Amino acid sequence: HQDEEKLVEYMDELEFLADTAGATVIKRFTQKLTQPDPKTFIGSGKAQEIRDYVKENEVGTVIFDDELSPSQLKNLEREIEVKILDRTNLILDIFAQRAQTSYARTQVELAQYQYLLPRLTRMWTHLERQKGGIGMRGPGETEIETDRRIIRDRISLLKEKLKTIDRQMATQRNNRGKVVRAALVGYTNVGKSTLMNAISKSEVFAENKLFATLDTTVRKVVIGNLPFLLTDTVGFIRKLPTQLVESFKSTLDEVREADLLIHVVDISHESFEDHIDSVNQILMEINAHQKPMVMVFNKIDDFSYEKKEEDDLTPETRKNISLSEWQKTWMSKSKYPTVFISALTKENFPEMKKLIYDEVLKIHISRFPYND
Ligand code: GDP
């Protein structure tokens, strides 16, 4: 039962991603397998079913929620005879659309080439099929080799370029001196930019789309005469492509080098607990999991609670736990200072500011012990 619920949530998220990328989803397919088929990921019956549907409804693209291996991609395109995207490709595409600075564009381009390199042959299979496959093999192979070389060169060039920018950014971070640095972290679309705007009264792009923020924004914030720097970072997501974790090094360095993490959670989202796990997982991967942290549960204005009489008899679900129950649970469960707010209506802002102030002050005092 719970698996079914999770499945729907994962598909909802994938649909939201597809929507962000500009696609319209008209049909969902799911399949239960103990293990993905190494050749085609899904079973051949399911592939047939999808193929028939695609033909009948003139579907342009089929999107998978997992990363497919290069050969799975190739085999699926051959079987379903339609363009196949996997989750990684989809996320990369969104990042490419959203990258605004040349730094972000360079990062995304690098990740895209890294994704592309082992999958190059796929395009040639198409060509072979279109041209009947006759005589294509020789030149095809040579051209793939040429393409590979060009892409490898491009990858090293992009890496060099990023290294230079990384060094500049590291210097910039060093020049910020001993001022306490706090970083907003959280799953994508939880309200980090909105919160940043509300706290720093600046105008950071906020939108109900995934990954509105790709570049980090740093703002100087003063709470109760205590100045500190606040950074907005790229949103984390379940199964964030590893290529991106690597190429967004500098963006993630803001997190790695922050003194305090402000972990923003969207409590109106059904899977917010999964989101917390995903974020913690990535923090662990970048070795930033032991930093002081404040938990900010956002969007309490949007929390829906539909307790009905008969719910007393049914097992607890997301919908029949009230906000105050969540609060109590999390206040006692979390080892971090925790607050429940709405970045939109600014409800409980004083409490949140006090929490952040206290944490920043602790760090500040440890750094400037002899000042007033
Ligand atoms: P980010 O991806 O974490 O930076 O999230 P954004 O700040 O871009 O916000 C994502 C969406 O959530 C936007 O549509 C916001 O208007 C909305 N949002 C942010 N905070 C709140 C809140 O407290 N309540 C409600 N209802 N919506 C919010």
Side-chain angles (χ1 to χ4, degrees), residues 187-194 206-208 213 298-299 301-302 342-344:
Y187 210 73
T188 181
N189 213 46
V190 295
K192 294 182 296 299
S193 306
T194 312
E207 201 188 354
N208 191 20
T213 319
N298 189 31
K299 305 199 191 180
D301 62 289
D302 207 19
S342 162
L344 220 55

Side-chain angles (χ1 to χ4, degrees), residues 19 117 144 147 155 183 191 207 302 362:
D19 179 64
L117 194 57
I144 293 168
D147 282 357
I155 287 178
E207 201 188 354
D302 207 19
K362 269 188 227 162

Side-chain angles (χ1 to χ4, degrees), residues 14 41 64-68 85-88 239:
L14 189 68
F41 192 75
F64 283 76
D65 192 39
D66 291 82
E67 182 167 324
L68 301 169
L85 285 184
D86 63 7
R87 183 183 176 86
T88 304
K239 295 194 229 158

Side-chain angles (χ1 to χ4, degrees), residues 2-175:
Q2 227 200 339
D3 281 357
E4 300 265 307
E5 240 172 55
K6 280 268 164 331
L7 200 64
V8 172
E9 282 165 20
Y10 289 165
M11 291 302 257
D12 282 347
E13 182 182 270
L14 189 68
E15 183 162 339
F16 194 13
L17 279 169
D19 179 64
T20 301
T24 312
V25 175
I26 59 164
K27 173 91 176 159
R28 295 177 178 192
F29 291 91
T30 53
Q31 182 175 37
K32 270 196 192 127
L33 289 175
T34 35
Q35 230 156 29
D37 188 306
K39 285 210 187 76
T40 47
F41 192 75
I42 48 175
S44 58
K46 185 57 75 175
Q48 194 59 45
E49 189 187 333
I50 298 175
R51 181 196 152 108
D52 292 345
Y53 186 86
V54 161
K55 282 256 141 59
E56 214 163 285
N57 298 278
E58 297 180 352
V59 173
T61 310
V62 173
I63 306 175
F64 283 76
D65 192 39
D66 291 82
E67 182 167 324
L68 301 169
S69 74
S71 66
Q72 283 171 338
L73 253 174
K74 195 164 72 182
N75 294 334
L76 279 168
E77 287 204 336
R78 196 176 289 148
E79 265 189 40
I80 304 179
E81 293 187 343
V82 73
K83 181 169 153 202
I84 306 280
L85 285 184
D86 63 7
R87 183 183 176 86
T88 304
N89 203 342
L90 183 64
I91 292 178
L92 285 173
D93 191 78
I94 296 171
F95 271 65
Q97 278 179 30
R98 312 231 126 202
Q100 281 173 358
T101 63
S102 98
Y103 181 52
R105 276 197 294 271
T106 313
Q107 287 173 314
V108 177
E109 202 184 335
L110 175 61
Q112 280 181 314
Y113 277 131
Q114 283 169 335
Y115 173 85
L116 186 65
L117 194 57
R119 292 172 175 80
L120 260 191
T121 48
R122 193 159 68 94
M123 299 185 232
W124 291 99
T125 327
H126 276 278
L127 260 185
E128 267 171 26
R129 200 174 51 219
Q130 275 164 20
K131 303 198 174 177
I134 304 164
M136 279 300 295
R137 193 158 194 90
E141 288 296 319
T142 330
E143 291 196 39
I144 293 168
E145 266 322 303
T146 317
D147 282 357
R148 282 216 183 99
R149 213 171 36 243
I150 294 172
I151 289 180
R152 273 197 210 100
D153 289 350
R154 187 83 193 134
I155 287 178
S156 17
L157 200 81
L158 289 169
K159 278 188 174 163
E160 277 307 309
K161 198 168 156 189
L162 282 180
K163 241 190 233 159
T164 315
I165 311 178
D166 281 344
R167 273 196 295 270
Q168 287 165 357
M169 290 177 104
T171 317
Q172 270 174 23
R173 281 196 301 270
N174 282 337
N175 289 344

